[in-house]
Structures are given as structure tokens and as C-alpha cells.
Amino acid sequence: MSTIDRNLRARDLRAEHKRLEEALARSLAELDAVRHRMAPLMPESELKIFDAHKMILQDDEFVGRIRDIVASGYAAESALFRVIDELSAQLLAVADGYLRERATDFRDVGHRLLRHMRQDERRNQFGKSTILVAEELTLSQLTLVSHENLVGIALESGGTTSHAALLARAFEIPTVVGVDHLMESVAEGDNLVLDGNSGIVYVNPAPEVEREYQVLHKRYEAFRRDLMAGGDEPAATRDGNRVELLANIALYHDIPMALKYGAEGVGLMRTEFSFLTYEDFPDENQQIALYTRMLEALGKRPVTICTLDIGADKYPPYMRVPREDNPFLGWRSIRISLEMPSLFKVQLRAILRAAVRHDVKIMFPMISSLEELRRARELLAEAQGELFREGLEHNPAVKVGIMVEVPSAVWLAPRLIREVDFFSIGTNDLIQYLLAADRNNPRVAHLYEALHPAVLSAIAEIVSVARAAGKEVCICGEMASDPLATLLLVGMGLDQLSLSPLFIPVIRKIVRETNYRTARLIAHDTLEMASVQEIKGYLIERYRDLGLIKLVEMFR
Ligand code: PEP
Ligand code: MG
């Protein structure tokens, strides 16, 4: 934007007005086209960004102000950016996060108009194997680039759940975000290696680093092709023990990837990420539309919908929450839902109504006591009663389970299991609470360990309680996608693993290459061990014996 001269005078006023009007018309048509192109990839709620941008272009005050400045003798682009500067300054002066974000929308619309004023019709074309480096990337910028040639995206700002990062994931473009000093370290034409696993960007790396990554990349691609070839085979051990491989999904555009990698269903649909994309809590009809669209895209596959798990590190921008010293031990997840029963019931009603023709289970997150479970069930029963009285079609037979992710729930497992249909183990939180190691704090990352003996014995306990009660047990934390843990988890008796879709092929391969009997022995031996080091050493040995170590090295 700094390259635009705000004082450029118009040479021919009529021509300048014409340029502005044509750019407006082209921008509007382009937004319609992009919305259409993106519709299969994004949920309706996110497509609204394009409508919002159209509204800006149709806003009399915005456009009128630009026209006035042109009429006073300025070139169209100068007039445009004078108005955008004014608006941005006003919006940025307001503390409200939502209004500040609107400044980005105005800038985004401004760049679209500018492109059309300059008749720069080419979409941002990239040469083959380009890595896009930017300070930030808005959703509409990403939809404009010809992503076919992009092999990576590196951004200085942004989080992994920013809209653009999520869309990049749907396109399967490796993306690294939050890279400090990125823009000052990279120049156009630099040679980059982007390691999506570690989040490191190497700028003009030494030839041996580059070679090493080329070899790794080739090997990785060959492995993936090989793994994908077994896509239709069921995940069952050689001696016939079936393990259902399900996907963890958050947004609508995670679904194509889940299907591509052969997910048999969804073991964890996190609803809070969709909520973050609305401007206020979505109402019952909006939620019905959201869930229905996702369930329809998943066909007949079973889907476990987890009720809202906000708080700690994920708050919708429209929710005002007081700052807490220990947010992970604070007001989060089911605690919020139970304290805001009317909001919670809207979600429960919407799930029950969307579940009419689908195999849906409801899961409550972060249950730490029987009282919480009973209160949640009471509200569910109330929601069902209301729907029944109102004569609204719904599914009264959805199964109900809990995410076991708080240590107290492990101790209470024998009592909790009597009042639910299934358990799903949320290792991401369970590990941090059991080991008192913050899951987001890099300083204690070495203490946050899934293969810790205390974690393993907690998992074994939960599984055995569920199995003794004849109920299903799943694991839906990140541990389910760790290939080094697969044999152990299968051997412990888990019948479902729910994981990031990208890892389904490798986990399927490991399951298919082993015997349940062997996995049981491995689980038995491991549970006797007292230290992480011993456990990891032992598992690596076993994987080596079984010829599976390469898979672990490649995908861990
Ligand atoms: C978990 O805690 O393991 C889990 C699956 O939920 P989240 O990561 O959303 O807290
Ligand atoms: Mg959790």
C-alpha cells in the first residue's frame, strides 16, 4: 500500500470516473466467481467473507467518498487509498478486536479494486515449486493465487488455525506460520527449504542441507504413494483384530482430506473452531445448517460430535471472558456450557435435529465428576423433551459419551461408565493434567510425554473399565497419530483410533502389518516399565524386529 501515491492528480476526470466504475463492477463479479469456486471447500459461515467484501463495494458511503475525492481531481487509486487510510485509522483506534479486523477487510477490498483499476488481470502466477512468503495472508488473497504451483507457504504472523492456514491445509500446501523475522530474512528468488514438521524455514541452505531434504522429501513421497495404495483395505491386524480408524475434524474443509485418506468416520468433530468463524454465537438454525452440511458430506459414516470446548487457548472473539491466571484450570469447556445452559441447549437441540438421518454420537468434553455428567445429561434430556413437545423432528436415540481427559475421570471411570455409552480418551489434555506440564509451553515440552508410564497406565485403566462394561473406547488425542504408540494402543484393546486424517494411511499400515497377539505382548511388557526412556527404547526395538521402524522414523 505504501507504493500508492495519495496525491496523484487525475489527468482526465471522466476517464478516471470510468476507471473507478469499471473496477467496481469487475471486483464485484470476481467476488461472485471466487465465492462460487470456494463453495465446495468452505463452510457457509466462512463464505460470508466474500459477501462482506461485496457489501463494502456496494456501500454508498464508502464508494460515494471515493467518487467525491475523484471528483475533486484525484486519480482513482489515490482516492481509494485516501478513503482506506481514513477508515483504517478510525477502525484501528477502536480497541474492539472485531472492528480492528474489519480494517483488514477494507484493505483487502482496496487491493482487489486497485488490481482492477490497473487492469492487472493476471491472477498471481507463480513459477513451478514456489514457496509463498508473506507477513500475513488473508483468505481472499489465498483464493486469488494460483495455488497449483505453490509447494509451501511461510507466514510471519498468524496461527495454525487462522483461516488462511486452514484453507492451505485443505489444499494440502505445507504451511508454516508465526516465523519470527521472516520478512527481513528472505528476499525474492531465495532458495528455501520449509520443514513443515519442525516449523523451520532454511534460507539459502548449504548444499548438503538441501540435498538431505531432497532425499527426505523423495523418500517421504514414495512412502505416501505406497501407503495410499492400501487405502481400501480395512485396518485389521493379521490375525483379524479390527481397529476402526476415524478422523478428527474441525471445519467443513477438513472433510475432503478425511475421505481421501480413508477415514471410516469421525471420532471427534470439534465444534468450537466452526464457532470461531461466526460473528456471534450461531443460533439453532445456523448450527443445524452447519452440522447438516458436514454430516451430509460424510455420508453414512458415524460421527461423534463433541460439544463446545471453548476456553483456555480458544475463545470466540465475540465472547468476553475475564483474564485468568490458569486458564487451562479455569473456566473452560463443559464448565462454560453448564454455566450457560440456554446456550448449551441450543447446541444440543441443533445436534439432535441435524442427527435425524445420521449416525451421530454426542460427546461431552472435560468431564471431571459425576455431577457434571449428570447435569449435562439432564440438559440433553430437557432439549429432547422440548423438541418432542414442539413436534420438531429429531433423533432421540443418539449415544452419549464423555471425553476422558481429566485425571479425576480416570479414578471415577468405573462409576462414569455406567452412565454413558462410550469413552473417548483425550490424551492432549490428559497428559498435561496428569504430568502437570502445560501442553502449549515449549519450556516444559520435554516433560509433556505421551509414553510416560503414568499416562500409559491411565489409558490401560480406562480401556479395561470400558471393555469390562462392554462399551466402546476410542482415543482421540494426538497420541493416536503417533506411529510409535500404535502397537501399544492396539495391544491395550482400543477398538477405535481417531486422528488427524493425514496419518490414517501410516497407522493403517502398522495395524495391518502386525498380529494382535504380538501387540498384546508389547502392551503387557510396556505397562511393567517404569521410565519413558525404557519404554521408548523397548518400543523402538520391537518396531525394528517387526520391520516397522522406517514408518516410525518417517512419520514421527
Ligand atoms: C484432547 O484433549 O485430547 C482433545 C482431543 O481435545 P482438545 O485437543 O481439543 O483439547
Ligand atoms: Mg481436550
Side-chain angles (χ1 to χ4, degrees):
M1 229 174 9
S2 52
T3 56
I4 310 288
D5 181 354
R6 268 63 169 171
N7 294 314
L8 201 65
R9 309 293 296 185
R11 265 185 263 145
D12 173 350
L13 261 190
R14 268 184 51 162
E16 218 54 34
H17 275 296
K18 185 162 175 271
R19 220 153 64 84
L20 172 61
E21 300 309 321
E22 281 176 2
L24 282 166
R26 280 206 209 101
S27 299
L28 281 167
E30 184 178 68
L31 278 169
D32 280 335
V34 174
R35 191 189 199 288
H36 184 72
R37 192 155 55 88
M38 289 294 126
L41 286 168
M42 295 161 69
E44 194 58 32
S45 56
E46 286 184 51
L47 292 171
K48 281 197 185 128
I49 182 97
F50 303 114
D51 301 332
H53 286 194
K54 268 182 76 175
M55 274 166 69
I56 293 176
L57 287 171
Q58 288 163 331
D59 182 88
D60 285 343
E61 228 181 288
F62 174 68
V63 179
R65 182 97 189 90
I66 304 173
R67 286 186 185 126
D68 287 349
I69 300 180
V70 171
S72 72
Y74 284 94
E77 51 266 64
S78 296
L80 167 65
F81 277 91
R82 278 174 167 246
V83 174
I84 286 177
D85 288 348
E86 269 169 32
L87 279 166
S88 299
Q90 281 165 17
L91 290 169
L92 291 174
V94 188
D96 186 309
Y98 172 70
L99 286 178
R100 289 172 145 268
E101 272 178 32
R102 297 286 72 78
T104 314
D105 287 336
F106 275 105
R107 275 203 304 274
D108 213 4
V109 168
H111 282 290
R112 189 182 296 280
L113 268 170
L114 179 69
R115 206 164 30 77
H116 288 295
M117 279 172 189
R118 293 182 166 172
Q119 307 230 327
D120 187 1
E121 286 299 347
R122 77 200 136 88
R123 285 172 66 206
N124 294 313
Q125 292 293 349
F126 295 115
K128 262 200 164 338
S129 304
T130 300
I131 293 178
L132 173 63
V133 175
E135 191 172 337
E136 62 171 7
L137 186 64
T138 66
L139 196 58
S140 64
Q141 282 165 339
L142 182 57
T143 57
L144 208 65
V145 300
S146 52
H147 55 84
E148 297 79 7
N149 281 346
L150 280 185
V151 292
I153 296 175
L155 303 178
E156 188 161 310
S157 66
T160 45
T161 59
S162 70
H163 288 151
L166 290 170
L167 189 60
R169 203 169 69 194
F171 291 152
E172 292 190 59
I173 305 171
T175 300
V176 171
V177 295
V179 186
D180 285 340
H181 311 294
L182 179 69
M183 297 307 285
E184 59 196 73
S185 319
V186 181
E188 178 128 19
D190 275 346
N191 197 16
L192 300 185
V193 167
L194 187 142
D195 184 337
N197 285 338
S198 64
I200 295 176
V201 179
Y202 297 88
V203 184
N204 297 320
E208 45 292 4
V209 173
E210 201 178 333
R211 260 197 309 277
E212 195 178 321
Y213 269 97
Q214 269 163 358
V215 171
L216 274 175
H217 184 68
K218 274 207 184 106
R219 216 186 291 161
Y220 179 78
E221 286 301 314
F223 254 88
R224 288 212 73 83
R225 271 197 303 278
D226 187 34
L227 290 175
M228 288 300 286
D232 297 334
E233 296 159 337
T237 58
R238 286 187 171 155
D239 45 352
N241 186 61
R242 191 75 172 81
V243 183
E244 235 180 307
L245 296 184
L246 308 166
N248 287 355
I249 63 166
L251 298 170
Y252 179 77
H253 48 65
D254 291 333
I255 296 175
M257 198 146 115
L259 300 182
K260 173 173 160 190
Y261 290 117
E264 296 174 61
V266 168
L268 170 61
M269 185 198 279
R270 289 184 172 98
T271 50
E272 55 278 5
F273 286 95
S274 296
F275 274 52
L276 301 184
T277 67
Y278 290 83
E279 283 163 15
D280 201 347
F281 277 108
D283 63 23
E284 189 166 324
N285 285 332
Q286 286 174 309
Q287 287 190 53
I288 294 172
L290 170 77
Y291 305 141
T292 305
R293 187 158 183 253
M294 292 176 83
L295 291 170
E296 276 171 5
L298 287 157
K300 293 203 180 317
R301 294 171 184 82
V303 179
T304 300
I305 303 182
C306 189
T307 62
L308 208 54
D309 191 4
I310 46 177
D313 58 352
K314 39 187 182 189
Y315 285 111
Y318 44 82
M319 202 178 163
R320 302 264 171 271
V321 265
R323 238 194 67 74
E324 296 180 346
D325 284 340
N326 283 307
F328 274 103
L329 300 181
W331 201 52
R332 64 170 293 209
S333 197
I334 197 74
R335 298 169 183 181
I336 297 182
S337 298
L338 295 181
E339 280 186 36
M340 300 174 84
S342 44
L343 210 70
F344 187 38
K345 267 205 290 187
V346 169
Q347 180 172 41
L348 296 172
R349 286 171 58 107
I351 297 174
L352 293 171
R353 291 179 68 186
V356 172
R357 274 165 283 278
H358 299 278
D359 180 358
V360 170
K361 299 187 188 101
I362 290 182
M363 172 156 71
F364 300 126
M366 244 200 115
I367 292 289
S368 65
S369 67
L370 252 94
E371 288 86 339
E372 278 172 349
L373 170 61
R374 287 179 183 158
R375 179 68 186 136
R377 292 210 71 140
E378 221 169 76
L379 290 165
L380 179 65
E382 275 179 32
Q384 278 167 334
E386 283 169 17
L387 293 172
F388 187 71
R389 280 192 301 281
E390 291 163 29
L392 292 168
E393 200 185 10
H394 65 283
N395 182 347
V398 289
K399 292 203 167 135
V400 178
I402 58 168
M403 178 122 63
V404 182
E405 53 182 340
V406 179
S408 58
V410 183
W411 298 109
L412 288 175
R415 277 167 266 183
L416 288 164
I417 198 72
R418 290 186 212 134
E419 306 192 18
V420 293
D421 298 306
F422 66 91
F423 279 164
S424 186
I425 309 172
T427 48
N428 303 344
D429 277 315
L430 186 60
I431 296 167
Q432 77 163 345
Y433 292 138
L434 270 177
L435 305 180
D438 184 340
R439 63 194 260 189
N440 291 336
N441 182 348
R443 293 191 73 168
V444 292
H446 62 290
L447 298 175
Y448 183 95
E449 179 53 76
L451 295 171
H452 189 290
V455 173
L456 300 185
S457 85
I459 296 174
E461 169 68 11
I462 303 162
V463 174
S464 91
V465 166
R467 287 183 74 101
K471 306 217 169 145
E472 278 180 359
V473 55
C474 176
I475 186 162
C476 64
E478 288 306 303
M479 189 178 179
S481 56
D482 178 359
L484 190 59
T486 309
L487 291 183
L488 186 53
L489 298 177
V490 171
M492 281 182 182
L494 278 142
D495 28 39
Q496 294 172 336
L497 302 178
S498 189
L499 54 150
S500 165
L502 207 60
F503 289 90
I504 290 177
V506 63
I507 303 297
R508 180 193 292 116
K509 174 97 174 162
I510 293 174
V511 171
R512 289 183 58 79
E513 294 276 311
T514 188
N515 281 307
Y516 185 49
R517 221 160 41 89
T518 313
R520 285 195 67 79
L521 281 173
I522 290 174
H524 177 269
D525 286 353
T526 311
L527 285 166
E528 299 283 308
M529 294 176 186
S531 76
V532 176
Q533 209 184 4
E534 196 184 352
I535 291 169
K536 278 192 180 165
Y538 169 81
L539 286 175
I540 289 170
E541 280 287 290
R542 293 283 76 77
Y543 275 75
R544 199 163 277 137
D545 296 344
L546 295 166
L548 297 170
I549 196 67
K550 264 209 165 128
L551 293 170
V552 173
E553 286 166 356
M554 201 56 89
F555 291 93
R556 192 162 201 259

